[in-house]
Amino acid sequence: MTIFGPNSLQPNPMSQKNTTLGEFIIENQSEFKYSSGELSRLINSIRLAAKVVNHEVNKAGLVDILGAAGDTNIQGEDQQKLDVFANDAFIKTLTNREIVCGIASEEEDDFITIKGRNEKNDNKYVVLIDPLDGSSNIDVNVSVGTIFSVYRRVTPEGTPVTLEDFLQPGNKQVAAGYIIYGTSTMIVYTTGHGVNGFTLNPAIGTYYLSHPNMQFPETGNIYSVNEGNYVHFPQGIKDYLKYCQKEEGDRPYTARYIGSLVSDFHRNMIKGGIYIYPNTAKDPNGKLRLLYECNPMAFIAEQAGAKASDGFNRIMDIQPTELHQRVPFICGSIRMVEKAETFMQGS
Ligand code: AHM
Ligand code: MG
């Protein structure tokens, strides 16, 4: 087995320097258009919470094994606890760094106000987060993730945050990323200067730059969609799926659907592919949430040369109106998303 970092037997071929996430943040913080130390503190708090959640998610595997031997009810409770655990871990870590003035989470009905040092409301950033995305996959030991999105507040410093600070379009994001708790744990993030991926060496608890300057292939042969909902899909998506399955040129494409957005996106970014969660008759706005699922993934996608759309509009240009707003989501290799859009717009 190859373990990257100081204890590795072989160097990671993609990262000859063995750069750690901490070093990378410091080396690149001048690219951040606001105060350089702020970004470091933000990403540092996220990577710390990610380690805590990673540790707990790994233990969930053990609980599953024990539970499967005798007590399935407790597994269900543990599953719920993990969602809450991840939520608490991120909120606690982000609250303690005196940089975040508000957090919105999939697990919270309303946003949380953080007052900062001396109760002054002078912190500058809001974070929107899905603490444990795809959590129904935990009890079957399949990859899950965390998704985060960061904005600079629009209301004046010194006043409590308002909904307006959270309802910003994706094109105003200053950073976004995800953590994938997979066969290895990775943080992948962007601050608007490309996308970089860092793999956790669990032996020493350090993330190493393993995937510098990640790029979506322009096209690919993977489509990821819950085809069980096919009958409820809009005609444009039905037509696009028939196109994907047609024997012609480089088609038929391969279907790959984990049911964990982070994992499906991550695979498609590396191999080339398209992820689709359309509106259906049952869910007229789709299932995925604009603010802490679609926007951050769209920012990463665009920074990696890909595209994210609702079939008609750029995801990051949609003006949000609600914290937990849902939106149809088509995201991936640019040529594939453009093709899907032509089917949507032609139908
Ligand atoms: P969640 O935030 O409740 O976990 O829901 C989001 C997840 C995505 O990760 C995944 O792509 C999708 O829901 C799967 O939905 P479905 O089971 O309807 O295919
Ligand atoms: Mg989610």
Side-chain angles (χ1 to χ4, degrees), residues 285-298:
N285 296 315
K287 175 185 182 188
L288 300 184
R289 269 57 55 111
L290 174 61
L291 288 174
Y292 42 80
E293 291 177 326
C294 301
N295 269 338
M297 295 317 243

Side-chain angles (χ1 to χ4, degrees), residues 122-179:
D122 50 4
N123 296 343
K124 299 191 190 82
Y125 296 90
V126 295
V127 174
L128 297 102
I129 192 157
D130 182 353
L132 211 58
D133 185 61
S135 55
S136 66
N137 275 324
I138 283 187
D139 60 349
V140 290
N141 206 356
V142 171
S143 302
V144 290
T146 296
I147 310 173
F148 64 91
S149 169
V150 182
Y151 293 84
R152 199 156 163 104
R153 66 181 300 173
V154 289
T155 53
E157 284 168 38
T159 61
V161 275
T162 70
L163 189 58
E164 194 190 345
D165 293 308
F166 296 92
L167 298 186
Q168 300 187 54
N171 57 38
K172 295 277 194 270
Q173 289 174 103
V174 296
Y178 61 79
I179 297 117

Side-chain angles (χ1 to χ4, degrees), residues 29-331:
Q29 61 185 2
S30 60
E31 285 182 348
F32 191 56
K33 64 178 175 175
Y34 303 108
S35 152
S36 47
E38 292 176 344
L39 175 68
S40 313
R41 296 212 319 269
L42 241 171
I43 303 288
N44 275 336
S45 57
I46 287 168
R47 78 170 163 168
L48 176 63
K51 273 188 218 171
V52 174
V53 173
N54 178 59
H55 185 67
E56 207 63 20
V57 166
N58 283 177
K59 277 199 297 192
L62 290 173
V63 171
D64 262 354
I65 291 164
L66 297 174
D71 196 341
T72 45
N73 285 341
I74 286 173
Q75 278 184 60
E77 283 168 17
D78 283 344
Q79 173 88 15
Q80 275 183 353
K81 276 185 198 159
L82 269 171
D83 272 324
V84 174
F85 181 91
N87 190 45
D88 289 350
F90 277 97
I91 290 174
K92 203 177 285 172
T93 321
L94 289 165
T95 303
N96 289 341
R97 295 289 166 127
E98 292 181 346
I99 184 137
V100 175
C101 52
I103 301 172
S105 163
E106 183 180 321
E107 302 297 331
E108 307 281 341
D109 289 349
D110 207 351
F111 63 84
I112 298 166
T113 303
I114 298 168
K115 289 187 173 166
R117 202 192 306 254
N118 304 325
E119 310 266 297
K120 275 187 171 165
N121 292 298
D122 50 4
N123 296 343
K124 299 191 190 82
Y125 296 90
V126 295
V127 174
L128 297 102
I129 192 157
D130 182 353
L132 211 58
D133 185 61
S135 55
S136 66
N137 275 324
I138 283 187
D139 60 349
V140 290
N141 206 356
V142 171
S143 302
V144 290
T146 296
I147 310 173
F148 64 91
S149 169
V150 182
Y151 293 84
R152 199 156 163 104
R153 66 181 300 173
V154 289
T155 53
E157 284 168 38
T159 61
V161 275
T162 70
L163 189 58
E164 194 190 345
D165 293 308
F166 296 92
L167 298 186
Q168 300 187 54
N171 57 38
K172 295 277 194 270
Q173 289 174 103
V174 296
Y178 61 79
I179 297 117
I180 178 167
Y181 311 99
T183 44
S184 57
T185 296
M186 284 187 72
I187 290 186
V188 174
Y189 79 95
T190 182
T191 56
H193 298 274
V195 179
N196 291 284
F198 301 81
T199 303
L200 178 66
N201 178 341
I204 51 174
T206 303
Y207 293 93
Y208 287 91
L209 177 61
S210 52
H211 295 66
N213 192 21
M214 297 181 85
Q215 290 287 325
F216 257 92
E218 262 190 34
T219 190
N221 69 351
I222 295 172
Y223 70 98
S224 312
V225 64
N226 186 344
E227 254 179 302
N229 296 326
Y230 182 87
V231 287
H232 303 297
F233 286 166
Q235 193 56 44
I237 294 296
K238 285 182 177 169
D239 293 344
Y240 177 67
L241 293 179
K242 287 292 153 224
Y243 167 87
C244 292
Q245 293 159 357
K246 192 169 176 188
E247 182 120 36
E248 194 171 275
D250 60 347
R251 290 169 283 137
Y253 296 153
T254 298
R256 288 283 183 274
Y257 188 70
I258 297 169
S260 196
L261 171 62
V262 169
S263 315
D264 281 309
F265 178 99
H266 188 74
R267 182 206 49 241
N268 290 353
M269 177 155 65
I270 290 171
K271 296 197 164 180
I274 184 169
Y275 173 96
I276 304 174
Y277 208 109
N279 49 313
T280 62
K282 199 175 92 206
D283 299 310
N285 296 315
K287 175 185 182 188
L288 300 184
R289 269 57 55 111
L290 174 61
L291 288 174
Y292 42 80
E293 291 177 326
C294 301
N295 269 338
M297 295 317 243
F299 191 19
I300 298 164
E302 288 196 11
Q303 284 295 315
K307 189 167 185 182
S309 160
D310 67 356
F312 301 91
N313 310 290
R314 181 186 180 214
I315 288 291
M316 289 208 291
D317 286 341
I318 297 172
Q319 175 60 53
T321 53
E322 287 171 35
L323 213 48
H324 299 288
Q325 183 172 340
R326 295 172 194 269
V327 70
F329 192 53
I330 304 175
C331 180

